[in-house]
Amino acid sequence: KLFYYYTYLVIGLALLGLGSGAVFVALSGRLKRASTDTILIWGSLLGAVSVGVGYLVVSLTPIATLEIWDYWSADSFLNLGRLVVVCLALFASFVAIGIMIATLFGREADRIGRLYFADLVGAGIACAVVVSLLQWIGPVSTIFLAGVVLALTGASLALRERERPSRKAPMAAVGAVLAALLGIVAVAPDVLPDLKADEVKADLNDDNTMYSSWSPIFRVDAEDAGDVRLLYHDGLLGSAIYRFNGDVSTLGRFETDPRSLPFAVVGEDPRNAMIIGAAGGHEILSSLYYDVGQIDAIELNPVTYDLVKDRFADYSGHLADNPRVNYVNGDGRSFLARSDDDYDLIWYPAPDSYSAANASTAGAFVLSESYLYTSDTIEESLEHLSEDGIIAAQFGEVNFEDKPNRTTRYVSTARHALEEMGVEDPSQHVLVATSPTDLGASSVATILVKRQPFTPEEVQAFTTQLGDVDDGVLRYAPDGDFEPSAVSEVASIPGADLDGWYDDYEYDVRPITDDGPFFWHFTRFGDVISGYGDDIDRLDHEDATGERVLLLLLGVAILFALVFLLLPFLAIRTTWARLPRKPRSALYFACLGLGFMFFEITLIQRLTLFLGYPTYSLSVTLASILIFTGVGALLSPRLLARCDG
């Protein structure tokens, strides 16, 4: 519906809903007087209702988030209000859960270790299975399955109630009906109206798409456009599968395509190549055309992999079954680290950039991690090259002439990697060119990096082939004839002057490493804050939009916290004033929470390299931490008894 960076808001609102439930338990006399069974029954049933209603509100509320930045306009206020409505729906879905947990913890303090153990182990198991559910039944069914679990819990609690037997049957019947209604949607999610995505995204439905499927990474919709099937990732053009009849001689279009540039430098009949981010197979086709002996093509998204390998296999000329192609579903960085081979070409066709290089996020990747373009990745790639092998990276640039930020950052990162490997003059190891495109960007930049200096013959081959590429422009080559730009300056400026150049440049294009893999984050937060009142660049969502949204979401989260966590305590301010050791308690629990989050986030980042999938890293990390924190809670009474002794 929205974009990547709204994930932080969803998680924050979930936690806020749980906390607000605890606040209501502390403040409400009615909740204090109600029996535990009553609270659990009503909490489960209302929680089930909030899941269904919350999903409908979130999915059917129209929103155009870019309109928020048209300050003081009616559309700005309208869409900001709609965002608040979406936030309230998300928040409300967790309040009933918070009330039930707080009630149990407060009334069963003598068994808090066992209760906390059960709570955390349940959450850990959910983290472990949710990825499989997302791929097996899809997010919509998974959400409504959660509602079914709540409804059945309420019904089962009602059946065993002893305090008021007269309501046993009615409440159990309500729970059964709720479970049935939610279960119908879980089994057949198509009965729901189409989700209304952000207006910047394509309007995709059964009438204009031939296939749609979810994965733990994003949703893929396929649209038939004749000789190409366009693949939309979460509603934005992401990649494509081209019609291929199996005859390599019909692929002459690659003679004038920028994909020809790496092969001009590698030379005739390359022994092998690795493509990281193979998507629909366009780079595989060009590799076949240029007679690469063996092609390892790595694609992260299992849906795209399935489309190429099975569902659209006839259309794609059975690329995945070609004896020269090893088409793998997995993470490219992980595959590279495990490989013992040396490659003539390692190709990064920007698997998470704009369309010619994947338009899947329209700026949403600004604050996401990317381990494919770090200095560590480039070093590892260089170490997997043959003697004269090259790395090729390609990026769509929205406005190369004024803001060649992606290309500049990649060149600066490549320079850093080469220097880390002991190269004294990195300027001799880089080639850069651009060519126009109309697929989500104005141009595509091609960057070649080599462990050895490029020879004059290789530079000449590169520039000669560039002349055959439609409107190709040389941006940098050792001793080449090109117009100066940020790219050429980063490639060639003396090392002693480099830090000063970075400081003076309008955007942050310093090299990135695995410790800070935010490739798409170009606008400094100080500049974002100082220019917060300025209009955004609607043609370039990377220019401060993601950072601006993050600050907006921080403001929304703070507002919700003030209203639902702190403001209610005004009702018991006299009692609140008498509570002892408030500052010390607040500091203790704040440090506990911050320490937990810092530890958790660091593990998630680092495990991404080990496990490959970011979603797997998230689920494995959370499941492990939650389960073993629960084990600690279960064992805590033993420690307490030992301390008392």
Side-chain angles (χ1 to χ4, degrees):
K1 181 178 181 72
L2 298 174
F3 296 106
Y4 174 93
Y5 37 67
Y6 286 92
T7 302
Y8 304 117
L9 181 64
V10 174
I11 295 173
L13 290 172
L15 295 173
L16 186 63
L18 295 173
S20 296
V23 170
F24 296 152
V25 170
L27 300 183
S28 172
R30 188 169 184 176
L31 286 174
K32 290 177 181 177
R33 293 189 298 270
S35 68
T36 301
D37 279 351
T38 298
I39 291 175
L40 295 181
I41 292 169
W42 278 99
S44 297
L45 297 181
L46 291 175
V49 171
S50 70
V51 167
V53 173
Y55 174 82
L56 291 174
V57 171
V58 170
S59 65
L60 299 181
T61 300
I63 192 167
T65 53
L66 291 183
E67 301 291 344
I68 293 174
W69 312 112
D70 291 338
Y71 295 112
W72 310 113
S73 68
D75 286 339
S76 176
F77 288 111
L78 177 63
N79 284 284
L80 184 58
R82 288 171 173 170
L83 179 62
V84 172
V85 169
V86 169
C87 291
L88 284 171
L90 292 166
F91 161 81
S93 299
F94 292 89
V95 173
I97 310 297
I99 290 174
M100 290 189 287
I101 291 175
T103 298
L104 285 170
F105 284 6
R107 297 183 181 185
E108 303 289 341
D110 58 326
R111 294 190 290 174
I112 188 64
R114 293 169 60 188
L115 286 170
Y116 200 41
F117 167 75
D119 177 40
L120 294 179
V121 168
I125 292 172
C127 286
V129 303
V130 70
V131 174
S132 297
L133 287 174
L134 291 176
Q135 188 159 349
W136 179 34
I137 62 176
V140 178
S141 294
T142 302
I143 290 169
F144 279 85
L145 180 60
V148 171
V149 172
L150 282 168
L152 291 177
T153 300
S156 65
L157 290 171
L159 286 174
R160 75 173 195 179
E161 188 183 11
R162 298 176 182 176
E163 181 182 319
R164 297 174 61 182
S166 61
R167 71 176 183 183
K168 178 184 296 188
M171 296 301 288
V174 170
V177 171
L178 271 176
L181 292 174
L182 295 167
I184 290 172
V185 178
V187 173
D190 290 341
V191 301
L192 294 177
D194 291 333
L195 181 147
K196 294 184 181 298
D198 192 299
E199 286 188 10
V200 75
K201 298 188 176 186
D203 182 17
L204 301 170
N205 52 60
D206 293 339
D207 295 331
N208 58 17
T209 58
M210 59 185 304
Y211 179 78
S212 179
S213 180
W214 289 92
S215 78
I217 303 171
F218 44 66
R219 193 179 88 179
V220 176
D221 294 274
E223 178 186 10
D224 192 353
D227 287 335
V228 61
R229 289 181 177 171
L230 302 176
L231 304 184
Y232 292 85
H233 300 169
D234 281 342
L236 290 156
L237 184 59
S239 59
I241 299 176
Y242 288 80
R243 188 192 300 276
F244 178 51
N245 61 7
D247 183 1
V248 175
S249 65
T250 64
L251 300 175
R253 67 179 183 273
F254 288 114
E255 293 283 354
T256 59
D257 190 281
R259 292 171 181 82
S260 64
L261 294 172
F263 299 104
V265 176
V266 169
E268 295 182 358
D269 303 333
R271 179 174 51 89
N272 58 6
M274 178 187 289
I275 302 169
I276 296 181
H282 212 188
E283 284 71 31
I284 299 176
L285 291 175
S286 62
S287 298
L288 290 173
Y289 181 75
Y290 284 102
D291 206 24
V292 177
Q294 176 63 37
I295 306 163
D296 288 333
I298 321 302
E299 170 53 34
L300 178 67
N301 190 357
V303 175
T304 305
Y305 175 83
D306 177 71
L307 292 178
V308 173
K309 187 172 180 59
D310 296 315
R311 187 171 294 272
F312 296 158
D314 290 340
Y315 184 89
S316 65
H318 293 275
L319 272 183
D321 298 325
N322 189 295
R324 287 195 281 156
V325 177
N326 175 31
Y327 189 55
V328 178
N329 180 209
D331 175 74
R333 177 77 181 269
S334 179
F335 186 94
L336 178 67
R338 297 193 307 268
S339 175
D340 294 327
D341 294 333
D342 292 332
Y343 292 89
D344 291 340
L345 171 63
I346 298 178
W347 199 346
Y348 293 87
D352 50 13
S353 179
Y354 291 124
S355 193
N358 192 337
S360 64
T361 54
F365 273 105
V366 166
L367 295 168
S368 69
E369 306 89 344
S370 178
Y371 288 98
L372 296 180
Y373 315 122
T374 65
S375 175
D376 307 74
T377 301
I378 295 175
E379 282 189 58
E380 193 164 21
S381 299
L382 290 169
E383 290 170 354
H384 277 83
L385 292 178
S386 59
E387 183 67 22
D388 289 317
I390 62 169
I391 299 171
Q394 292 179 307
F395 296 94
E397 287 281 11
V398 176
N399 183 356
F400 186 93
E401 300 301 332
D402 296 330
K403 292 182 289 190
N405 292 338
R406 302 176 188 182
T407 310
T408 305
R409 169 157 279 167
Y410 192 83
V411 171
S412 75
T413 304
R415 172 174 180 159
H416 179 266
L418 289 164
E419 290 172 341
E420 289 292 302
M421 296 181 71
V423 173
E424 295 183 0
D425 187 5
S427 67
Q428 302 298 308
H429 299 248
V430 178
L431 295 170
V432 184
T434 62
S435 55
T437 179
D438 57 359
L439 295 175
S442 64
S443 60
V444 172
T446 300
I447 308 109
L448 305 186
V449 184
K450 190 181 176 189
R451 190 166 55 188
Q452 307 297 331
F454 282 106
T455 65
E457 293 77 16
E458 290 170 332
V459 174
Q460 182 61 46
F462 181 77
T463 54
T464 299
Q465 180 58 36
L466 185 60
D468 292 335
V469 174
D470 295 336
D471 296 321
V473 178
L474 181 66
R475 300 297 181 174
Y476 177 76
D479 304 318
D481 183 15
F482 52 84
E483 291 187 13
S485 66
V487 172
S488 61
E489 290 176 357
V490 164
S492 59
I493 195 171
D497 301 328
L498 192 57
D499 282 339
W501 187 93
Y502 286 139
D503 291 338
D504 294 337
Y505 191 63
E506 182 179 0
Y507 297 96
D508 182 6
V509 292
R510 290 178 181 273
I512 62 165
T513 66
D514 283 352
D515 290 334
F518 302 100
F519 184 89
W520 315 100
H521 172 46
F522 300 118
T523 309
R524 301 173 181 90
F525 274 107
D527 296 334
V528 176
I529 294 172
S530 63
Y532 205 87
D534 300 336
D535 293 335
I536 62 171
D537 184 348
R538 286 180 170 270
L539 297 178
D540 186 0
H541 302 151
E542 275 178 1
D543 194 348
T545 303
E547 294 88 353
R548 188 180 297 207
V549 169
L550 193 65
L551 293 175
L552 171 66
L553 299 186
L554 177 62
V556 171
I558 291 173
L559 176 63
F560 273 49
L562 291 174
V563 171
F564 294 106
L565 289 183
L566 298 182
L567 188 60
F569 282 100
L570 290 177
I572 58 166
R573 53 187 177 275
T574 303
T575 304
W576 174 257
R578 294 198 301 268
L579 292 177
R581 295 184 292 276
K582 291 190 292 294
R584 187 181 302 175
S585 299
L587 179 62
Y588 171 79
F589 284 105
C591 290
L592 192 65
L594 286 171
F596 186 91
M597 294 301 295
F598 288 165
F599 183 67
E600 173 190 338
I601 291 170
T602 302
L603 279 180
I604 290 171
Q605 264 199 322
R606 302 305 295 178
L607 278 176
T608 299
L609 294 176
F610 179 70
L611 296 173
Y613 292 97
T615 315
Y616 286 173
S617 174
L618 178 67
S619 61
V620 169
T621 301
L622 290 181
S624 302
I625 290 177
L626 290 169
I627 289 173
F628 284 98
T629 303
V631 171
L634 185 64
L635 298 177
S636 60
R638 298 187 180 186
L639 180 61
L640 182 62
R642 185 176 300 176
C643 292
D644 290 342

